[in-house]
Amino acid sequence: MTRHLHQYILVALVVWALAIQMPSRAHQADTSSSPLINLSLNLLAAGGGSTADPADLELFQSGKHDPKQNGFTLQGAEISLSGRVDPFFAAAHVVADADHVELEEAYLTSALGSDALELKVGQYLTEFGLINSTHPHSWDWIDQPFIATRLLGPEGLRSAGARVAWQTQLPGTPLLIFGAQNADHSSAISFLGADHEFHHAVPESNHHDHTGEDDGEIHLISMAGGTVGGRPSIIRDPESVDELLFSGRFEQKVIDSETTGLKIGISALWGPNSSSEDGETQIHGADISLDLYRPGPQMPERWLRWQTEIMSREFRCGELAIPLASEYLTFPSETIRDWGIYSQIALSFLPRWETGLRIEYASGNDAGVIERDDDPLRADRWRISPLVAFRPSEHVRIRLQYNYDESDAPPDSAHTVWVGIDGSLGTH
């Protein structure tokens, strides 16, 4: 609690400073055209149980905002601040859970000469695919698709940087996004954000191949501080612009009407990783989303949402030699590949009632220090998750979700049931 006290104080000061600048209620009528700061609070909590042991359940529920214990979990309390002072729009999202408080996003956006070009600067969720750039309270399901957790990190890929978005005027109004961010944020697990508990420089000469006699020692070293596939990590500070994390995205509206929206997207990430001095990672993704509405007097009476994402990662490792007493432990150059897909469909079937089904699958190649069948973060895995939700009001949602998980790595399989509740105050 003490080590996070400064974070609580910082959050309190920010909220206080913004609050005293808001116009009083007596003057709101006269300043309706003035920019105001919007303040909102979103709470997510869940409770439930699983047939998996507590430690194994955390392997299945590996997203940071996933419920991950038998009993109750505070998934997050998010304070969001936003406002516009032409030509700038500013937003910040501070997230707290039972253990800590962190600044999830804080950025400025502004048009560049025209509404077609937009610049974003600050710390923000990388616009890759559909799920990564959204916040947990906007998800239809209680937990995060596990392929996103494997490739983009338990808390979603985000970092400080800048990006430019161009909304073209061609048919379907294609959207092009290009960005550059720091590759060493803790969320960038596929890049330079991997665990760094095990630190060694890479020797330039006198490399000796390992004979393979000390397999247990290899696993001990890799688990002490590793990257993907149990490969050990090194300290690698970016030294040039080309060692940033770059991102690109293309979106195209195929159908855009009052009742139907169909959109496709392609995303890419590339940047350095901490497996070696010349290690690099590329992540590619494709997505499709469909929205169907039956308009009502004030809001849709019926709706259907379907979205599917597929993503793959190439984690390219250079040769790495680690000094051990009188010899070096050498890890060869290799490329570790992982891929996965999730598809989900949700619809409203009665006023205030919703239901849905999500199916997920992930796999990869046989590379890395740890055998894939022993690695919960790389083994073949699939999950099916039916869901029912009820909205007692516009700002409150109660969800019942069942997960059946099956993995080639221990803990093999599990049946899990979650009941989640989320609510919001203010605008978001």
Side-chain angles (χ1 to χ4, degrees), residues 129-162:
L130 300 173
I131 197 74
N132 188 76
S133 59
T134 59
H135 293 208
H137 61 83
S138 66
W139 299 346
D140 287 319
W141 269 255
I142 294 175
D143 45 18
Q144 179 173 262
F146 60 74
I147 185 57
T149 300
R150 287 187 177 190
L151 305 193
L152 305 177
E155 51 188 324
L157 177 59
R158 69 182 192 276
S159 187

Side-chain angles (χ1 to χ4, degrees), residues 146-399:
F146 60 74
I147 185 57
T149 300
R150 287 187 177 190
L151 305 193
L152 305 177
E155 51 188 324
L157 177 59
R158 69 182 192 276
S159 187
R163 71 99 169 106
V164 175
W166 178 31
Q167 188 79 66
T168 70
Q169 300 306 309
L170 298 173
T173 60
L175 174 65
L176 298 173
I177 300 175
F178 176 77
Q181 296 171 277
N182 293 335
D184 57 355
H185 189 274
S186 61
S187 68
I189 62 167
S190 294
F191 300 93
L192 298 183
D195 180 59
H196 287 167
E197 294 176 14
F198 184 71
H199 303 317
H200 276 289
V202 181
E204 296 180 357
S205 60
N206 299 324
H207 291 190
H208 299 283
D209 290 335
H210 192 265
T211 62
E213 297 176 356
D214 298 321
D215 289 343
E217 191 171 25
I218 293 177
H219 286 267
L220 177 61
I221 290 171
S222 67
M223 295 304 292
T227 61
V228 175
R231 296 272 305 210
S233 62
I234 65 169
I235 293 297
R236 180 180 174 186
D237 296 321
E239 297 179 352
S240 60
V241 174
D242 61 357
E243 289 190 305
L244 293 172
L245 166 59
F246 294 97
S247 62
R249 177 160 174 80
F250 167 80
E251 287 184 6
Q252 172 74 48
K253 296 177 181 178
V254 180
I255 303 175
D256 185 19
S257 69
E258 184 179 349
T259 60
T260 305
L262 178 62
K263 182 174 65 176
I264 58 174
I266 300 173
S267 303
L269 299 167
W270 62 97
N273 68 51
S274 57
S275 67
S276 63
E277 291 293 342
D278 58 351
E280 63 177 12
T281 299
Q282 293 186 9
I283 301 178
H284 303 94
D287 55 83
I288 183 171
S289 60
L290 172 67
D291 293 278
L292 299 176
Y293 299 98
R294 189 172 77 184
Q298 297 180 334
M299 57 187 301
E301 289 183 350
R302 295 287 186 273
W303 53 261
L304 180 147
R305 289 192 295 265
W306 169 64
Q307 69 182 52
T308 297
E309 284 193 74
I310 184 170
M311 57 186 79
S312 64
R313 172 180 63 193
E314 288 193 358
F315 191 85
R316 300 171 182 172
C317 311
E319 183 179 283
L320 176 64
I322 297 173
L324 288 177
S326 60
E327 63 176 353
Y328 291 108
L329 177 63
T330 301
F331 295 86
S333 300
E334 63 179 339
T335 298
I336 302 174
R337 295 182 173 87
D338 294 279
W339 70 274
I341 184 173
Y342 78 89
S343 184
Q344 63 187 47
I345 185 168
L347 59 92
S348 65
F349 63 95
L350 288 172
R352 302 185 182 276
W353 286 92
E354 305 162 12
T355 189
L357 180 67
R358 184 183 66 191
I359 300 175
E360 309 170 61
Y361 178 76
S363 185
N365 71 338
D366 293 325
V369 174
I370 305 175
E371 293 289 337
R372 263 200 330 122
D373 288 349
D374 296 326
D375 187 351
L377 296 178
R378 297 200 61 237
D380 285 359
R381 178 183 172 189
W382 71 278
R383 177 166 68 183
I384 184 169
S385 304
L387 172 86
V388 176
F390 173 67
R391 294 181 182 269
S393 75
E394 181 182 352
H395 302 286
V396 177
R397 176 176 52 170
I398 301 171
R399 291 176 287 182

Side-chain angles (χ1 to χ4, degrees), residues 49-65:
S50 175
T51 59
D53 293 335
D56 294 338
L57 182 58
E58 292 190 16
L59 297 176
F60 280 133
Q61 299 293 122
S62 52
K64 183 175 182 180
H65 298 290

